Amino acid sequence: MENIKSYVQQHKDRFINELIELLKIPSVSADTAYCQDVIDTAEAVKVSLEKAGCDHVEICETAGYPIVYGEKIIDPNLPTVLVYGHYDVQPADPIELWTSPPFEPVIKKTDIHPEGAIFARGACDDKGQMYMHVKAFEYMIQSNTLPCNVKFMIEGEEEVGSVNLKTFVENNVEKLKNDVILISDTGMISNQQPSITTGLRGLSYVEVEVTGPNRDLHSGLYGGAVANPINILAKMIASLHDENNHITIPGFYDNVEELSLEERAEMAKAPFNLDNYKKALDLKDVYGESGYVTNERNSIRPTLDVNGIWGGYTGEGAKTVIASQAFAKISMRLVPNQEWENITELFTKHFMSLAPAGVTVKVKPHHGGQGYVTPIDSIGYKAANMAYTETFGVPAIPVRSGGSIPIVALFEKELKSKTILMGFGLDSDAIHSPNEHFGIFNYLKGIETIPLFYKYFVELSK
Ligand code: BES
Ligand code: MN
Ligand code: MN
């Protein structure tokens, strides 16, 4: 029986080409123009699971995009790993900033990826990382080394809040029963230093609308005499942070989990270089909440950010106008114990109270989700650490991430099992940005590491 390393070496070109085919389908869940492509991608994922060796694969329809479910049950008495991933991707815009078209994948070398990286929307988030699991499974089937049962649940709405997956999970608790959930949809510190994500932030996402006069007005005739919705919106948004960059919404921090100094000292041991961080982003300095360092600001602390703001005239030249309306999309990243529905309510109440009499304000809640933390003494964490240690030569470091996968908290609530976040992406892979890519090294290393997780998880479960 050949081992995983040589299997990967032997089949790597095919592994890369199969992923490239998947990346060519523009499965943008946020934009209905790509509706058929999203559906086609579900079908392609289904076929890949069948070919890899699942006994039973189905497309589960939902009120939105389908969920692909596949399984291989070898013995009901053995543990079951549930693999979750998503086949939908973020919109590619701004398209003009891509150095090659987002849905025509190409391999290019970068400083961080001297062996080359696949450039395409979804390369890292999450098609590439999801597909590592399909290929690792293929290996275990081909080499007859699958040590337990496996279930795959690959959804198509992660990038738009997993609203229908929630219902699917609630209605299929028995079908999805498992001993551990395994996800590769996060990152690691570097190609030399693996890490395991032990925390995800929650999210509350809202859209706000400020309305002033009933029509756009001449800014000379009316300027100074009526409230300008854009000016007012800017002022309201600015007031949401104080001079220390604390969020000013009353009650916002009430349930925030404060880490002990020991825990913060432990976090500070993870390798991090502030100069390189600034250099990578072309920044003179970082910015954030006083009293916390960068790696705390972006993981254990909650935030509030405007994601988009619009209104008035933005075309060529100058138009003298006071717009009737102004809009913004605002997200709040939350930490464990903050309830996202509660935060949405606190935001709404406070934001409405900021409005002067000359405007009306509406707040429309979008999606949200709870944060997540997982202990490092579970069997799953230990198995993951053993797997990384074997393939990278050094143990993994536990790291809390700033990103969100809202469904993870729901998994724990409904399915009563822990999630292990074995990510292989790098922060520099530009997920959600132009020129997203995924290192060939990372892709193949993932395929190599995953079967070891299964092996150690089953050994430790005995
Ligand atoms: N895979 C990301 C989340 C992520 C990336 C977590 C890197 C940790 C490290 C996921 O696809 C994502 O983008 N999630 C969204 C939330 C969702 C509700 C749109 C996010 O974090 O903005
Ligand atoms: Mn993702
Ligand atoms: Mn994403």
Side-chain angles (χ1 to χ4, degrees):
M1 184 183 60
E2 52 189 349
N3 69 24
I4 177 68
K5 259 197 163 79
S6 56
Y7 190 83
V8 169
Q9 278 314 309
Q10 199 182 330
H11 295 274
K12 64 179 182 194
D13 290 342
R14 176 172 60 83
F15 290 172
I16 293 166
N17 289 331
E18 287 176 12
L19 175 57
I20 285 177
E21 287 310 306
L22 200 60
L23 290 167
K24 284 182 186 169
I25 322 176
S27 50
V28 180
S29 52
D31 186 344
T32 50
Y34 296 98
C35 177
Q36 191 56 47
D37 297 299
V38 183
I39 292 166
D40 291 349
T41 309
E43 186 58 36
V45 171
K46 174 177 183 260
V47 171
S48 75
L49 286 172
E50 282 164 349
K51 279 195 186 153
C54 281
D55 285 338
H56 164 75
V57 188
E58 59 184 311
I59 298 256
C60 305
E61 298 299 339
T62 71
Y65 287 121
I67 293 157
V68 187
Y69 176 82
E71 62 179 31
K72 175 87 188 173
I73 307 295
I74 57 172
D75 178 349
N77 296 317
L78 284 170
T80 300
V81 175
L82 173 67
V83 176
Y84 162 82
H86 62 96
Y87 65 81
D88 65 321
V89 301
Q90 283 277 320
D93 59 275
I95 197 113
E96 65 280 5
L97 295 182
W98 284 76
T99 54
S100 55
F103 299 107
E104 294 171 29
V106 284
I107 297 173
K108 287 183 265 195
K109 291 190 163 74
T110 73
D111 290 348
I112 290 177
H113 297 293
E115 298 167 43
I118 306 176
F119 280 71
R121 172 55 87 230
C124 177
D125 184 12
D126 180 41
K127 283 175 176 166
Q129 296 212 67
M130 176 272 289
Y131 207 67
M132 297 179 317
H133 287 270
V134 181
K135 295 297 98 177
F137 171 66
E138 172 196 304
Y139 161 74
M140 291 186 282
I141 294 290
Q142 290 302 319
S143 60
N144 213 359
T145 57
L146 180 67
C148 61
N149 307 309
V150 53
K151 297 174 177 177
F152 288 91
M153 178 170 66
I154 315 296
E155 71 149 323
E157 296 187 312
E158 196 277 340
E159 299 292 7
V160 290
S162 303
V163 180
N164 294 298
L165 181 67
K166 184 170 184 276
T167 318
F168 181 79
V169 171
E170 286 163 355
N171 293 337
N172 290 279
V173 171
E174 196 49 38
K175 182 190 185 92
L176 300 173
K177 202 167 172 292
N178 65 79
D179 296 279
V180 70
I181 300 169
L182 185 59
I183 304 181
S184 295
D185 192 22
T186 53
M188 56 178 190
I189 293 174
S190 73
N191 284 355
Q192 292 72 44
Q193 179 56 67
S195 52
I196 299 171
T197 302
T198 51
L200 292 165
R201 285 196 283 193
L203 185 72
S204 161
Y205 202 110
V206 297
E207 187 167 325
V208 298
E209 179 189 296
V210 176
T211 306
N214 60 5
R215 59 185 163 91
D216 287 7
L217 302 172
H218 189 291
S219 65
L221 293 181
Y222 289 93
V226 299
N228 177 330
I230 302 178
N231 293 10
I232 300 289
L233 176 60
K235 212 169 163 174
M236 290 167 78
I237 288 172
S239 80
L240 295 173
H241 290 94
D242 69 13
E243 64 284 2
N244 293 315
N245 272 311
H246 288 300
I247 295 155
T248 55
I249 301 169
F252 187 85
Y253 291 98
D254 280 1
N255 300 319
V256 166
E257 171 204 48
E258 296 288 344
L259 267 66
S260 67
L261 288 174
E262 290 76 29
E263 285 172 295
R264 291 175 67 183
E266 199 54 43
M267 274 185 74
K269 286 186 189 158
F272 176 76
N273 182 307
L274 190 59
D275 286 328
N276 291 348
Y277 185 87
K278 290 192 274 195
K279 224 177 272 163
L281 301 173
D282 278 331
L283 291 172
K284 279 205 202 72
D285 207 353
V286 291
Y287 185 86
E289 188 181 1
S290 39
Y292 296 91
V293 297
T294 297
N295 274 347
E296 295 173 332
R297 289 169 176 171
N298 68 16
S299 65
I300 58 164
R301 297 301 294 167
T303 60
L304 182 151
D305 278 293
V306 178
N307 296 251
I309 181 162
W310 69 102
Y313 184 69
T314 56
E316 203 185 325
K319 178 186 179 192
T320 48
V321 66
I322 292 174
S324 162
Q325 287 192 301
F327 307 85
K329 290 183 194 276
I330 297 174
S331 69
M332 287 157 279
R333 295 281 169 173
L334 310 176
V335 297
N337 301 339
Q338 283 184 298
E339 293 285 335
W340 77 269
E341 280 110 337
N342 172 244
I343 293 293
T344 305
E345 242 170 68
L346 293 178
F347 174 90
T348 306
K349 207 166 139 221
H350 179 64
F351 201 73
M352 306 280 282
S353 80
L354 296 175
V359 298
T360 52
V361 173
K362 276 190 194 151
V363 178
K364 189 175 114 191
H366 274 267
H367 51 261
Q370 293 300 113
Y372 186 70
V373 265
T374 192
I376 62 170
D377 56 5
S378 70
I379 291 176
Y381 186 91
K382 285 182 189 156
N385 196 15
M386 286 162 82
Y388 278 110
T389 307
E390 193 162 324
T391 51
F392 285 80
V394 285
I397 294 177
V399 169
R400 289 228 211 165
S401 173
S404 308
I405 311 176
I407 203 69
V408 171
L410 185 95
F411 285 161
E412 178 146 331
K413 182 168 164 253
E414 295 292 331
L415 306 176
K416 314 268 182 281
S417 47
K418 292 269 172 260
T419 291
I420 302 300
L421 297 157
M422 284 180 82
F424 292 89
L426 300 179
D427 282 354
S428 55
D429 288 345
I431 64 170
H432 293 208
S433 303
N435 304 309
E436 175 178 353
H437 54 278
F438 190 36
I440 301 284
F441 168 88
N442 303 67
Y443 179 51
L444 300 178
K445 211 57 163 179
I447 300 171
E448 198 184 309
T449 308
I450 290 163
L452 293 167
F453 170 83
Y454 282 72
K455 177 179 152 198
Y456 292 125
F457 183 75
V458 174
E459 274 180 26
L460 293 174
S461 299
K462 276 177 190 155

